[in-house]
Amino acid sequence: MGAAEQTLIDLAVMAVLFVTEIIPLAITSLGGAITLGLMGIITPKVVFSGLSDSTVVLFAGMFVVGAALFYTGLAQKIGETVVSHAGTSENGLMLAIMLVTATMSIFLSNTGTAAVLIPVIIGICKKSGFKQTKLLMPLVFAAAMGGNISLIGAPGNMIAQAGLQQAGLGSFGFFDYGLVGLPILIVGTIFYAT
């Protein structure tokens, strides 16, 4: 059996372990690379090279800052404050939700932003009688669109940055994604508002 077949088997086993979570995900994540290293398919240096990658370190830092904002309740407080000042109309509330979500997604993980604001929006819908789907879908889209304005807003942006740097093709600035992301956010917000 060649290296390609062994790698595919390792990948299949990892996929099963990720889905079933029989082993903790952190161990599964490292286990695939370690297995390939023990089989001699990749060198020991390559096995652990991802842990010192600047993108991984930046992701870790971003999650720490984001978790601090969510853990302290600051992110939820921001969401509740803005939503409480949005008025009583459904469109006004939707616009406020989209703007707050997009703004937070620029500087935090778009997934984390959506996750922390979803319970807030559900609570507001229960109190006000608005339909949850009319406010949750714009929330999720605003998080996705806002995340495409900055380098750290979405994981794919950081992965593209790392790929460019490894290929020696330069890199993006912090707000370079905004050249495309900001017009998409504006058009998407207008679409939902109307």
Side-chain angles (χ1 to χ4, degrees):
M1 188 179 327
E5 291 83 8
Q6 291 175 339
T7 303
L8 285 173
I9 291 170
D10 183 53
L11 181 63
V13 170
M14 283 189 58
V16 169
L17 291 175
F18 272 122
V19 170
T20 60
E21 295 186 35
I22 295 169
I23 301 172
L25 294 177
I27 295 172
T28 301
S29 300
L30 290 172
I34 292 171
T35 302
L36 292 174
L38 291 173
M39 291 190 301
I41 295 172
I42 57 177
T43 64
K45 182 179 179 182
V46 173
V47 169
F48 298 105
S49 64
L51 298 175
S52 65
D53 186 68
S54 61
T55 305
V56 174
V57 173
L58 184 58
F59 266 122
M62 182 179 70
F63 287 133
V64 168
V65 171
L69 286 173
F70 297 133
Y71 180 75
T72 60
L74 180 61
Q76 181 141 350
K77 190 74 170 168
I78 291 168
E80 289 172 351
T81 302
V82 173
V83 167
S84 68
H85 290 83
T88 56
S89 77
E90 192 173 45
N91 279 348
L93 185 58
M94 179 178 24
L95 187 61
I97 289 168
M98 289 189 76
L99 293 175
V100 168
T101 303
T103 303
M104 289 173 65
S105 292
I106 294 171
F107 303 104
L108 303 170
S109 164
N110 54 7
T111 308
T113 300
V116 80
L117 289 178
I118 284 173
V120 174
I121 303 308
I122 290 173
I124 290 168
C125 289
K126 286 181 180 175
K127 287 180 186 174
S128 65
F130 294 138
K131 290 184 179 178
Q132 292 180 10
T133 54
K134 287 198 173 188
L135 296 177
L136 289 175
M137 286 304 290
L139 168 92
V140 174
F141 279 109
M145 292 184 292
N148 286 323
I149 293 176
S150 71
L151 187 61
I152 63 171
N157 298 353
M158 290 297 303
I159 292 168
Q161 173 86 338
L164 283 173
Q165 289 175 341
Q166 287 175 356
L169 299 173
S171 62
F172 289 110
F174 190 78
F175 288 112
D176 283 352
Y177 284 99
L179 297 173
V180 175
L182 188 58
I184 291 172
L185 175 63
I186 292 169
V187 170
T189 304
I190 291 170
F191 173 78
Y192 270 103
T194 57

